[in-house]
Amino acid sequence: MAAPPPHQYSAYAQPQTGDLTDKEAPSHSQSSSTQHQHSPARQAQPSKTPSQKHKPTIPTARRLWTSEEESALLDGLERVGGPHWSQILGLYGAGGTISEVLKDRNQIQLKDKARNLKLCFLKSGHEVPHYLQGVTGELRTRAPSQAARQEALAKAREMGMGGRGT
């Protein structure tokens, strides 16, 4: 059986010194002809200056919700008939038709607050208002399989204890 032909670019091959500069040297994923075809496009592409590079975002400080903001959110949910965050901001956001109480809030913050309010109703055992029912969020155990295992162990203990003679 004949040995397979050696690959042009082996992961273990040492780079050969030659006339090519680092910019012109073909990468392991491109052949030299492909590299040659793309080099004019790469050279024509402007290099990124430090101001054009992605700047990391600075996290903003958490702001507590005021009672006015909560009332506006709940009223907005009722007026628009459910979780339509952009419509609620149209009513109460910056330039809102009713007020600008929620001008410093975004759609994600509205969604998160509405979900937390719904969970508060669920945890307290109170009926969830109709305008919060379309909001995501349900009560569930954190580890359903672990809870089921614990229930099975408790049941087994009960059955084992009841069957033993005292």
Side-chain angles (χ1 to χ4, degrees):
M1 198 172 232
H7 294 284
Q8 184 177 1
Y9 300 109
S10 168
Y12 300 104
Q14 295 295 320
Q16 300 292 323
T17 55
D19 296 334
L20 297 176
T21 65
D22 286 346
K23 270 188 160 179
E24 297 170 351
S27 68
H28 291 293
S29 62
Q30 285 185 322
S31 67
S32 60
S33 62
T34 306
Q35 180 73 22
H36 180 69
Q37 290 172 349
H38 294 289
S39 68
R42 285 196 185 101
Q43 290 170 357
Q45 191 176 32
S47 64
K48 289 187 175 182
T49 62
S51 64
Q52 290 176 321
K53 290 184 180 176
H54 175 71
K55 294 180 183 176
T57 58
I58 299 170
T60 57
R62 285 181 48 177
R63 288 184 342 136
L64 295 177
W65 281 69
T66 64
S67 58
E68 292 84 20
E69 287 176 321
E70 282 186 21
S71 297
L73 173 60
L74 294 173
D75 185 57
L77 281 164
E78 191 165 11
R79 282 179 186 259
V80 301
H84 307 290
W85 313 121
S86 60
Q87 291 177 23
I88 295 170
L89 285 176
L91 297 173
Y92 293 101
T97 56
I98 296 176
S99 81
E100 291 191 340
V101 174
L102 299 175
K103 70 178 190 276
D104 296 326
R105 301 290 181 179
N106 61 37
Q107 293 182 36
I108 294 168
Q109 291 170 322
L110 299 185
K111 172 191 64 81
D112 290 343
K113 184 62 175 179
R115 184 189 61 230
N116 290 336
L117 289 170
K118 180 180 180 179
L119 290 173
C120 192
F121 275 98
L122 290 170
K123 287 177 182 177
S124 67
H126 291 96
E127 185 178 340
V128 177
H130 66 89
Y131 48 85
L132 283 176
Q133 290 180 3
V135 174
T136 59
E138 301 296 327
L139 287 181
R140 63 175 185 253
T141 58
R142 289 184 184 219
S145 61
Q146 185 178 5
R149 226 182 352 254
Q150 288 176 348
E151 282 181 29
L153 283 172
K155 197 176 223 182
R157 277 192 224 116
E158 279 181 22
M159 293 178 83
M161 290 268 224
R164 287 188 187 166
T166 52

